[in-house]
Amino acid sequence: MSVSRRSLLGIAGAGAVAGGVGYLAAERQTVPGGVDAPVPFHGRHQAGIVTPAQDRMHFVSLDVTTTKRSELVDLLREWTIAAQRMTEGQEAAPGGAVGGGPYAPPKDTGEALGLPASGLTLTCGLGGSLFDDRFGLADRKPAALADLPAFPKDKLDPARSGGDLCIQACANDPQVAVHAIRNLIRIGFGAVSVRWSQLGFGRTSSTTRGQATPRNLFGFKDGTNNPKAEDVALLDQQVWVNDGSWMTGGSYLVARRIRMHIEIWDRTSLDEQEAIIGRSKGEGAPLGAVAEFDPLDFSSDAIALDAHVRLAHSTQLGGVKILRRGYNFVDGSDGVGHLDAGLFFIGFQRDPHAQFVPMQMALATKDRMFEYIQHTGSALFAIPPGVRPGGYWADTLLD
Ligand code: HEM
């Protein structure tokens, strides 16, 4: 019998989510079913892309340690079953934390007992390195999964970059996201090892029209001009792969760990901050306009030539857009008097070499914001299409 985490302890997650009450009260009205509700796992696309961006994230990149293709397939099957269960608010496996008898390690680590599904989504991706000679996948590697080029001013740490597989967990409760990643790692023991991982504590984008625009650690609204789930035709054009290959219905995820030198930013005048972004700090309106969602006017010089929103705008880049879905992070301090803070950028697109690469190249060469940021980690993953009932992650590639 499968026991839901909530029914096991007979309580709702109300106590567990205290601390973000104001935010949650507002979000409850804008997220269908509320922030505690489950998000459907199956579908044409994986959840966690156009799903209304949840407020918390735990992202993990893994290296595959087994060299047997059958063990890789077994792992993806087992992960898929556990992932579906956890997104429904259940324990990772039947028996769970306390029902498996005293003599075996529990099949669920237990820290999410009593917590609701919390909008958990689990999104699985495959890195370019998976397509080497270990699993016979070399001739199935999409051109879009070729390594990203080096960008000017990159200071990438190899220990925070790359990986054979990734799992993005997003939820409205950090404990639920961490629990999900931890249990998938536990299931993968002997077949995968953790390469790097990142926690994010506040969303920096909105992905539906109903959501309020959140703010990043520079204090600016972020996600205003993001494609939204309602823009179905735009998403078909910019986000979803539709080439008849095993990736049809999937997308490509670019992750960039971007350190933000917030102490220097905090000593910069408001005028200067607004000029760098190209929007006002309070309302989030384009400079020269009044309201947040007013159009950007590049014919006047209100928005500087080296302003972030001008350089990243589709009109300056031959029409390309990216679905941004990043998170704020603070990973303690750097040992020399600063917070190790920044933005964990996540962007979804149908071809990173046609979308992320020209955008990032324009930013890295011209964006004045680069005096205040540094890219310290990078990864690119193919996100296979959504799973059908009975299927498993990446089955269109591996079956
Ligand atoms: C720490 C790094 C970054 C910060 C603080 C930042 C901040 C912002 C802010 C405040 C906006 C305006 C609000 C909005 O329309 O969403 C914006 C817009 C945007 N950013 Fe960034 N951003 C960062 C990195 C990036 C990166 C790496 C990319 C992609 C390579 C990117 C692409 C965009 C795009 C496409 C827009 C929308 C432009 C438009 O169409 O108006 N950003 N960003």
Side-chain angles (χ1 to χ4, degrees):
M1 188 188 75
S2 65
V3 182
S4 92
R5 294 188 308 225
R6 186 195 297 245
S7 65
L8 188 73
L9 296 191
I11 56 164
V17 293
V21 172
Y23 153 76
L24 287 169
E27 280 301 280
R28 219 165 239 124
Q29 292 147 24
T30 55
V31 178
V35 290
D36 295 346
V39 173
F41 181 77
H42 295 117
R44 179 169 151 69
H45 311 298
Q46 288 196 56
I49 303 175
V50 295
T51 307
Q54 304 93 323
D55 204 47
R56 309 301 178 111
M57 178 210 71
H58 190 191
F59 192 101
V60 69
S61 164
L62 307 122
D63 284 330
V64 180
T65 50
T66 177
T67 49
K68 296 203 183 87
R69 180 176 168 132
S70 62
E71 287 184 10
L72 174 63
V73 171
D74 288 348
L75 172 66
L76 288 162
R77 279 187 199 280
E78 215 183 323
W79 267 359
T80 306
I81 293 166
Q84 184 193 341
R85 289 178 57 91
M86 291 190 285
T87 57
E88 288 167 352
Q90 298 186 59
E91 295 181 86
V98 294
Y103 304 113
K107 293 209 160 112
D108 183 287
T109 53
E111 70 272 29
L113 284 176
L115 301 180
S118 307
L120 174 69
T121 54
L122 292 162
T123 314
C124 180
L126 317 176
S129 51
L130 192 71
F131 294 78
D132 58 11
D133 52 8
R134 285 173 294 169
F135 308 107
L137 296 173
D139 59 346
R140 311 288 305 276
K141 182 175 177 175
L145 199 51
D147 286 350
L148 296 174
F151 296 99
K153 306 187 189 107
D154 272 359
K155 199 179 174 193
L156 302 182
D157 177 355
R160 294 186 194 273
S161 300
D164 291 337
L165 298 170
C166 79
I167 301 167
Q168 172 199 268
C170 298
N172 293 310
D173 183 330
Q175 182 108 336
V176 169
V178 168
H179 167 265
I181 292 293
R182 177 180 175 191
N183 279 271
L184 295 175
I185 293 170
R186 186 184 52 76
I187 289 168
F189 183 74
V192 287
S193 66
V194 172
R195 187 177 171 89
W196 54 268
S197 133
Q198 182 69 52
L199 278 177
F201 66 82
R203 64 183 171 93
T204 59
S205 74
S206 38
T207 52
T208 60
R209 294 205 191 287
Q211 288 182 295
T213 315
R215 289 179 187 266
N216 60 37
L217 293 181
F218 283 159
F220 277 74
K221 288 188 185 173
D222 201 344
T224 304
N225 222 353
N226 207 20
K228 303 285 176 352
E230 293 85 352
D231 306 328
V232 175
L234 179 69
L235 296 174
D236 277 341
Q237 187 191 62
Q238 303 277 353
V239 175
W240 305 123
V241 178
N242 189 13
D243 60 2
S245 76
W246 63 270
M247 273 296 288
T248 295
S251 189
Y252 289 89
L253 181 160
V254 172
R256 303 283 289 186
R257 183 181 185 276
I258 309 175
R259 172 92 188 266
M260 289 158 69
H261 300 301
I262 53 177
E263 292 83 358
I264 306 176
W265 180 260
D266 295 345
R267 294 196 296 268
T268 306
S269 72
L270 176 61
D271 253 16
E272 172 92 352
Q273 293 184 4
E274 293 186 331
I276 289 168
I277 301 290
R279 287 181 174 271
S280 65
K281 194 162 192 176
E283 168 69 19
L287 294 185
V290 178
E292 182 186 351
F293 292 97
D294 284 352
L296 296 93
D297 177 4
F298 298 123
S299 64
S300 85
D301 54 9
I303 301 177
L305 292 177
D306 54 5
H308 183 73
V309 294
R310 181 190 282 266
L311 295 166
H313 197 269
S314 59
T315 54
Q316 315 298 307
L317 294 165
V320 300
K321 296 190 176 195
I322 287 175
L323 178 75
R324 288 169 290 142
R325 209 176 187 285
Y327 286 85
N328 297 317
F329 69 82
V330 177
D331 291 345
S333 50
D334 66 2
V336 286
H338 313 114
L339 293 178
D340 183 1
L343 189 151
F344 188 70
F345 173 93
I346 297 177
F348 292 95
Q349 61 242 277
R350 72 187 311 185
D351 182 356
H353 294 275
Q355 293 164 268
F356 178 79
V357 171
M359 195 179 282
Q360 177 57 21
M361 207 50 97
L363 295 177
T365 48
K366 297 185 212 136
D367 192 354
R368 241 169 89 204
M369 192 197 279
F370 266 75
E371 292 171 28
Y372 303 87
I373 63 172
Q374 188 147 53
H375 287 235
T376 58
S378 177
L380 167 62
F381 296 98
I383 305 295
V387 179
R388 292 157 292 109
Y392 64 94
W393 275 332
D395 57 3
T396 54
L397 171 68
L398 292 160
D399 265 358

